Amino acid sequence: MIDFHCKCGTRVFFRNTQCLTCQRLLGFDSVGFYMLSLRAAANDHRVLHDEDSGKEFRYCGNYDDYNACNWLLPAASPERFCISCRLNKTVPDLDRGINVERWIRLESAKRHTLYSILRLGLALTPANDRHIKLEFAFLEDGRTNAEYADTFVATGHGSGLITINLAEADASYREKVREQLGESYRTLLGHFRHEIGHYYYELLVASTDWRAPFETLFGNPDEDYNSALKQHYNTVADDWAPDYISAYAQSHPLEDWAETWAHYLHMIDTLETAGQFDVMQLKGESAEGRGVLNKPFAELVDTWLELSVKLNALNRSMGMRDAYPFVITDPVYAKLDFIHRVVGASVAA
């Protein structure tokens, strides 16, 4: 994540909508990757003026309606919603106040995920011959709403549609499930990064020349999925084989890919953040955003391993769990390197 600053020099953050020092409005430009400092036009408060470029913007409609998004559109755009919110196929019943709070948490994690994808240079909804389109559905079941007592909504992905159960926005529920499943890490951001990994497998690997090397590293993606997951949950354990980044990655080759993809995004995004805040720097120029795709992968991993040790030490000093409780073994390294090469080839093309 970039270290953003308001026009007045105050440090601001990705979720901010106003600078507390100079009172300028803040909004994220997903094209230029800037946090813009804006003034409302005198004749129309919805039109936001950027003093530096002279351009005019407006907030996403979900800012106007729910204060749920700070991404910007050009003022003259015919669209009501930003590039992130336009991907929503289904949102929960927002007449229920608690749903608005939970939905806003989901949207925040989604925007951070899309930031990472766009920062790498990947397209969100590229044209493809199978008509796979990225969409999101945020759904309730009996865990959050008694009206749906007999229903069960699984978080997952299918043909471009990413479904997230609204219950995952509840930190206490998420922690309960983490303990039940023996997971060492469970976050909203992790969910989004994992599920969008399934989407990019379909786009970048499934029907391409990358399919054969994928099978060599991850296994046969056509292995019976439901049987594999049933077996996994019947034998779930706190530890996992050294060939995998997590216990869940063992369940099926496609889950192994999605888990490894999520860790690739963890690594790339956190390395950029560390560099932006002068915690740890990658060597050379263009070591942020899509510039990381030009870096030797071994250098990325070496820097990441050193950084993750420091992160864990800092967390322990605060009495918290390790920020990165994982081990990158040689087989995991090979899988991460494969993803690095797939992403690099796609962006270059």
Side-chain angles (χ1 to χ4, degrees):
M1 182 61 66
I2 295 173
D3 182 14
F4 297 108
H5 290 81
C6 175
K7 184 179 176 64
C8 72
T10 300
R11 174 173 281 146
V12 297
F13 299 95
F14 187 55
R15 302 175 185 178
N16 290 163
T17 56
Q18 188 170 30
C19 174
L20 298 181
T21 300
C22 70
Q23 308 307 309
R24 285 182 174 88
L25 298 174
L26 302 170
F28 182 69
D29 174 13
S30 61
V31 177
F33 289 96
Y34 298 115
M35 184 64 75
L36 297 181
S37 305
L38 306 159
R39 298 284 194 189
N43 59 339
D44 187 347
H45 71 278
R46 294 169 299 179
V47 176
L48 307 174
H49 182 72
D50 176 24
E51 298 167 303
D52 291 334
S53 68
K55 295 179 180 179
E56 293 184 331
F57 298 88
R58 56 183 170 81
Y59 281 123
C60 171
N62 279 329
Y63 171 86
D64 297 329
D65 296 342
Y66 299 101
N67 195 23
C69 180
N70 68 342
W71 283 27
L72 300 169
L73 301 90
S77 173
E79 301 286 354
R80 182 160 189 265
F81 298 104
C82 71
I83 190 174
S84 173
C85 292
R86 289 202 299 273
L87 297 175
N88 288 347
K89 181 178 181 180
T90 309
V91 298
D93 178 6
L94 299 178
D95 288 335
R96 299 183 72 215
I98 188 64
N99 282 3
V100 175
E101 296 175 24
R102 290 169 174 164
W103 173 62
I104 287 175
R105 292 175 202 146
L106 294 177
E107 290 292 344
S108 178
K110 183 185 76 173
R111 286 195 302 275
H112 196 136
T113 301
L114 298 184
Y115 165 91
S116 298
I117 295 296
L118 292 170
R119 191 84 167 124
L120 281 170
L122 289 168
L124 292 180
T125 55
N128 60 85
D129 57 7
R130 288 174 294 150
H131 307 291
I132 299 171
K133 177 185 177 183
L134 180 62
E135 295 180 304
F136 293 87
F138 304 132
L139 304 179
E140 293 183 90
D141 64 14
R143 286 169 281 185
T144 54
N145 191 335
E147 294 181 20
Y148 305 108
D150 298 326
T151 64
F152 179 85
V153 173
T155 291
H157 167 271
S159 301
L161 177 64
I162 292 173
T163 300
I164 305 289
N165 190 303
L166 193 64
E168 292 291 344
D170 186 309
S172 60
Y173 167 83
R174 208 166 53 246
E175 177 63 14
K176 179 181 178 181
V177 174
R178 187 194 69 78
E179 291 186 347
Q180 287 175 343
L181 298 180
E183 297 174 341
S184 53
Y185 175 93
R186 189 180 184 92
T187 67
L188 278 180
L189 186 56
H191 282 320
F192 278 95
R193 286 175 171 170
H194 173 101
E195 300 303 341
I196 210 167
H198 286 298
Y199 171 69
Y200 281 103
Y201 168 81
E202 294 292 330
L203 282 182
L204 306 181
V205 178
S207 299
T208 73
D209 292 340
W210 292 108
R211 168 69 186 253
F214 171 92
E215 289 198 33
T216 300
L217 288 168
F218 294 90
N220 180 10
D222 296 328
E223 176 186 331
D224 188 280
Y225 184 81
N226 291 329
S227 296
L229 258 63
K230 183 178 180 180
Q231 180 179 355
H232 167 74
Y233 284 119
N234 286 338
T235 58
V236 66
D238 292 338
D239 56 358
W240 55 90
D243 288 356
Y244 303 92
I245 191 64
S246 70
Y248 189 57
Q250 297 176 120
S251 64
H252 189 275
L254 292 178
E255 297 303 338
D256 190 10
W257 160 273
E259 283 287 270
T260 310
W261 175 279
H263 281 259
Y264 180 74
L265 293 186
H266 292 337
M267 179 176 69
I268 296 303
D269 188 71
T270 309
L271 283 173
E272 179 183 63
T273 306
Q276 287 278 314
F277 285 84
D278 295 323
V279 175
M280 179 171 288
Q281 296 286 348
L282 286 165
K283 298 176 183 177
E285 300 296 326
S286 300
E288 295 161 348
R290 70 191 64 179
V292 300
L293 299 175
N294 299 320
K295 304 295 291 183
F297 188 67
E299 183 181 320
L300 292 177
V301 173
D302 286 346
T303 309
W304 170 242
L305 292 176
E306 185 179 351
L307 175 62
S308 63
V309 168
K310 294 179 179 180
L311 288 173
N312 290 344
L314 288 169
N315 270 25
R316 292 170 190 175
S317 295
M318 291 293 294
M320 300 172 66
R321 289 197 304 269
D322 286 355
Y324 192 74
F326 303 95
V327 178
I328 298 179
T329 61
D330 288 344
V332 171
Y333 175 96
K335 293 171 185 178
L336 287 166
D337 178 55
F338 176 75
I339 289 175
H340 187 66
R341 289 184 285 118
V342 169
V343 172
S346 175
V347 172

